Amino acid sequence: AGPTDADLMNDANTPGDILTYGMGPKGQRFSPLTTINASNVGRMVPAFSASLGGEKQRGQESQPIVYDGIIYVTGSYSRLFAFDAKTGEELWQYDARLPDGIMPCCDVVNRGAAIFGDKIIFGTLDAHMVALNRKTGKVIWNKTLAAYDAGYSFTAAPMIVKGKVIYGNSGGEFGIVGKVEARDVNTGELLWSRPTIEGHMGMGADGKPTTMTGKLNASWQGDQWKNGGGATWLGGTYDPDTNLVFIGTGNPAPWNSHLRPGNNLYTSSTLAIDPDTGVIKWHYQTTPHDGWDFDGVNEFIPFDMGGRKLGAKADRNGYFFVLDRTNGQFVSANPFVSKTTWATGFDKSGKPMYDPANRPGPPSAEKGTTVFSAPSFLGGKNWMPMAYSQQTNMFYIPSNEWGMDIWNEPIAYKKGAAYLGAGFTIKPLYDDHIGVLRAMDPKTGKIAWEYKNKAPLWGGVLVTAGNLVFTGTPEGYLKAFDAKTGKELWKFNTGSGVVGSPVTWSDGGEQYVAVMSGWGGAVPLWGGEVAKAVQHINQGGALWVFKLPKS
Ligand code: PQQ
């Protein structure tokens, strides 16, 4: 017993539990609950807090799963916790024993677990997938996905579709090869494997080797495809209407684009994959021949508008894309940040109009010409998921205003070593804020409202039918805003930066809101001048749960 495929597909309509990363396979992060709403959220108080303890804290990017009276959260350093959903009492904890040589690029984070039947499943920083008994925490299966000493790691929440665990990989900064795979949820057995770099051999659903459709290596030169990057490090969404898994791919490796002429497929793209076979049905490349580390991994969220089946993605490159999700056809691309230097826009066919002066120059001897580029490589938006309201028909985007000095350098591939060929320093664009939470109208591409935050926003967003938008800040707050106007209605300081994704559910007639607290992620490690501005923020590791007081 436990959640079935049908339960997972119906997750967005069952507010009594949270069974999927994204609060539904489409990842809209919209809750129909209205008990807590814009008129009473000001009274919301903590119900309890639960510590992840340990000497090691760092970034807590997890989205809770809630089922059968238990809250499951993953923690930094590949840990998984089960807490009583009423009291916060710890029921069990699983602590993966990580080898010394793990190489996560951007903090020791994990974004969440998947639940199915008697199992709770998550990926670890040494690139394993582990299925635990959800009641006891005992290991049911544990599979090696890839070699951590070649730079592979795992940070995303896996998804489960039709009895298959579907997931990607991390390691794009080390010249690994991105892939998407499916395993049998009951046994962990590999069912298909689909590399995301043209030219690599995969495994089809019949167990036979596959090559990419189309011309082998058509978009790469020589053997650069061998270490081409394109890590699928954020996982994906699933659309039952079209039976497609949407999964983004990271930057091509190395960053230095002069070393790899061509479009470098399928890097910095959104891919639509058939979950039954692993076949790529369509792709759309958001940054062809990327030269700025504009990963295309950000979530592609299915939504319907004007009778059309569409999907939207707020990309690292600063543009908000709307595509036809049945075939990948371009609908629109509008900037959601105040400044994009690398392109002046997108043409009608969906191709970027580059500004060649703003591509970092080829290295002459040691260092090429420096250009100032906005957004920075950490993106107009990074991994932190946006939300889509079925009530306001708006997307709520956690975005950041920053640029970077970037220059290219020579580089050669070496197994297990950073493979960038570029140097960079991130700089804020404005004195008083970096983070901006924005309400985006997908119809017009216009911003309806925005909330400015001093530190970069690095947490996920939740929207509810109670006309509320929730998100966290590095300053430690979970905040609630009016979904229509952007007015700040409530905040609570959790004691450390919030970079987790909030969720809400109902139990016994009461509505609960939960979020992880614990500052970390890529900003303190890679943020240049911005990292200095946030280095005073204390680390932490706690689950916070809120509700209305009994009246
Ligand atoms: N992870 C974060 C984070 O959790 O804060 C930010 C980033 C990652 C990035 O900005 C990345 O570019 C990135 N790239 C890869 C990759 O190319 O494999 C992996 C990850 C990751 O797994 O966390 C990040």
Side-chain angles (χ1 to χ4, degrees), residues 59 61 103-111 125 151-156 169-174 176 229-234 249-251 255 293-295 297 316 377-379 381-384 458 499 520-526:
E61 293 184 352
M103 282 184 260
C105 68
C106 311
D107 202 4
V108 287
V109 294
N110 187 285
R111 302 191 185 89
L125 290 165
Y152 287 93
S153 58
F154 196 91
T155 60
N169 60 10
S170 293
E173 268 48 276
F174 302 97
I176 60 87
T232 44
W233 60 268
L234 198 49
T249 56
N251 57 289
W255 288 20
D293 187 33
F294 288 155
D295 279 52
V297 295
R316 283 257 283 254
F377 68 89
L378 287 180
K381 173 184 169 300
N382 202 287
W383 72 271
M384 52 283 187
W458 215 251
V499 296
V523 178
L525 301 171
W526 293 79

Side-chain angles (χ1 to χ4, degrees), residues 373-417:
S373 168
S376 80
F377 68 89
L378 287 180
K381 173 184 169 300
N382 202 287
W383 72 271
M384 52 283 187
M386 61 182 181
Y388 173 72
S389 167
Q390 297 183 11
Q391 200 174 55
T392 62
N393 300 318
M394 297 271 180
F395 281 88
Y396 298 93
I397 309 174
S399 69
N400 289 307
E401 295 284 345
W402 45 21
M404 63 181 165
D405 283 335
I406 180 167
W407 60 91
N408 283 324
E409 294 166 352
I411 183 82
Y413 175 76
K414 200 167 144 255
K415 185 185 161 189

Side-chain angles (χ1 to χ4, degrees), residues 182-197:
R183 285 175 186 268
D184 184 315
V185 68
N186 290 314
T187 63
E189 183 203 347
L190 186 65
L191 298 176
W192 53 256
S193 176
R194 174 69 282 158
T196 56
I197 297 295

